[in-house]
Amino acid sequence: MDDFKTLLMQEFVRFKPDVYMDDGHGSTLKLGLFNGRYVSPFGEENYRRVKDIPLRDDDIFLIGYPKTGCHWTWEVLSMIVRGRGEHSTTGKLACFMEMAPPAMRDSVQTRRILNSHVLFEDLPAQMKEKKTKIILTFRNPKDTLVSFYHHHTSLPDVWNYAGEFQNFFPLFIKGQVDNSSFFDYYKQWDEDIKKNPDQPVLVVSYEDMKEDLPREIRRLAAFIDVPLTDQQVEEIAQAAGFSSMKDVYQKGDNYSSIFLRKGQVGDWKNWLTIAQSEMVDAAVEQKLKGTRFASPRYTL
């Protein structure tokens, strides 16, 4: 585990950022640039290499805007693939396409859950030929915003951000954060899903997983063609419950523990003012109206 953590941190810090985004109150956020979008400062060449990643026939893509349940869903998928409620020792970072070294990704012997935060057009070119299945995560943008703020401040080696939430909020609304605008991201994904009806895509929401995890485990398993018994579903649901997963990660010194915080639905009410909440609602109305991501169930 120590060697794995060391290798990952070397990947995190070896690139120089393209942009230092100023929050207007003395704190800056390190960002990269890729195709005109703000991304993590992993180096443009790493993002461009994603297109050329060779795919296996049984690969799965797990995609989503950061902090929309990516780590949790990856762990659930990993258990589904193995058919048992057994936690990963490395987490999803070994198959994080825009950051993990190719040798690390290629060394995975089991069915790979290749994960990324890029857009549809930036995924590996072989995807359409192989009809690679895509699982797209989504979460209430207000909870995503709060979690994303803590994500930026908890990893100073990556983003070097130490600002206050009220100063981070305008950056998120304007899309001046890692992976740019949440709202533009999902608007683009909605358009690309419609334009590519032959590409198998399953949207999984954080709220649905919190509401009924066994149901969502069955949906995921059916989508990736893994038969599970009721006993297996229950075992996975017990092991993959957010609190159980976080507890196991922390006790086992799993590197992914730093990416898990509260795992709650509605925590945004403890952080956003009424005016800030209304600004998010306005962005949803402007950017996501008419898309599959505009349901009040997931945005209010």
Side-chain angles (χ1 to χ4, degrees):
M1 180 60 65
D2 288 340
D3 290 343
F4 181 74
K5 290 167 67 174
T6 299
L7 181 57
L8 286 174
M9 287 313 300
Q10 287 173 346
E11 287 298 309
F12 272 144
V13 303
R14 73 186 182 92
F15 293 109
K16 294 182 180 180
D18 298 305
V19 176
Y20 286 89
M21 186 62 65
D22 192 335
D23 70 359
H25 295 270
S27 293
T28 57
L29 179 65
K30 293 194 301 184
L31 297 171
L33 284 172
F34 173 60
N35 289 347
R37 299 177 63 246
Y38 297 118
V39 292
S40 299
F42 301 156
E44 183 180 1
E45 64 269 36
N46 268 15
Y47 282 89
R48 298 216 174 276
R49 286 173 187 158
V50 170
K51 199 78 174 173
D52 299 322
I53 291 176
L55 298 179
R56 302 173 186 171
D57 290 341
D58 63 351
D59 280 339
I60 305 162
F61 286 151
L62 175 64
I63 314 295
Y65 193 87
K67 310 313 293 178
T68 56
C70 306
H71 274 81
W72 187 19
T73 308
W74 189 94
E75 193 69 49
V76 170
L77 283 168
S78 179
M79 292 182 188
I80 291 173
V81 167
R82 294 196 298 273
R84 55 186 183 274
E86 177 182 280
H87 294 85
S88 165
T89 58
T90 60
K92 78 182 188 75
L93 297 182
C95 285
F96 188 18
M97 289 191 283
E98 56 260 45
M99 192 275 288
M104 181 183 294
R105 188 174 57 240
D106 294 343
S107 69
V108 176
Q109 299 300 310
T110 58
R111 189 176 182 185
R112 298 187 305 182
I113 306 164
L114 300 173
N115 56 93
S116 175
H117 300 306
V118 300
L119 294 170
F120 182 89
E121 65 180 11
D122 301 317
L123 288 170
Q126 287 185 332
M127 168 187 67
K128 291 187 177 182
E129 169 197 340
K130 292 183 175 290
K131 296 291 189 291
T132 306
K133 294 187 175 184
I134 301 172
I135 294 158
L136 180 67
T137 60
F138 183 75
R139 187 182 189 182
N140 182 323
K142 297 173 187 177
D143 278 332
T144 301
L145 159 61
V146 172
S147 185
F148 209 22
Y149 166 71
H150 290 283
H151 184 65
H152 279 77
T153 56
S154 67
L155 289 167
D157 287 331
V158 183
W159 291 282
N160 194 37
Y161 186 70
E164 300 294 328
F165 176 77
Q166 63 264 28
N167 303 328
F168 181 83
F169 178 85
L171 299 182
F172 181 86
I173 289 294
K174 292 183 287 188
Q176 295 175 336
V177 293
D178 184 1
N179 281 275
S180 296
S181 168
F182 171 98
F183 312 100
D184 289 341
Y185 183 90
Y186 284 105
K187 180 181 180 181
Q188 187 62 56
W189 264 102
D190 189 74
E191 292 176 2
D192 287 331
I193 291 172
K194 292 173 182 174
K195 291 176 183 175
N196 297 274
D198 293 336
Q199 194 71 44
V201 180
L202 179 70
V203 177
V204 177
S205 85
Y206 194 94
E207 290 75 18
D208 284 345
M209 290 182 66
K210 290 290 289 187
E211 179 183 76
D212 192 336
L213 186 54
R215 178 193 65 205
E216 297 306 297
I217 289 171
R218 290 186 175 93
R219 284 184 70 224
L220 288 164
F223 182 69
I224 62 173
D225 302 313
V226 175
L228 292 178
T229 65
D230 289 344
Q231 182 177 350
Q232 286 174 306
V233 170
E234 183 60 30
E235 178 187 338
I236 293 170
Q238 289 293 325
F242 192 91
S243 58
S244 298
M245 192 172 71
K246 186 169 183 178
D247 185 57
V248 169
Y249 275 11
Q250 290 176 334
K251 287 181 179 178
D253 192 31
N254 187 303
Y255 188 70
S256 289
S257 65
I258 64 175
F259 299 105
L260 305 180
R261 195 175 68 92
K262 285 188 174 182
Q264 295 179 353
V265 171
D267 186 44
W268 66 265
K269 296 173 185 176
N270 299 315
W271 290 84
L272 273 68
T273 65
I274 293 174
Q276 288 171 335
S277 176
E278 290 175 346
M279 288 179 69
V280 176
D281 292 341
V284 170
E285 175 70 15
Q286 179 186 2
K287 297 289 183 70
L288 296 180
K289 184 177 182 179
T291 74
R292 70 200 69 213
F293 303 109
S295 168
R297 170 173 170 74
Y298 306 129
T299 56
L300 298 180

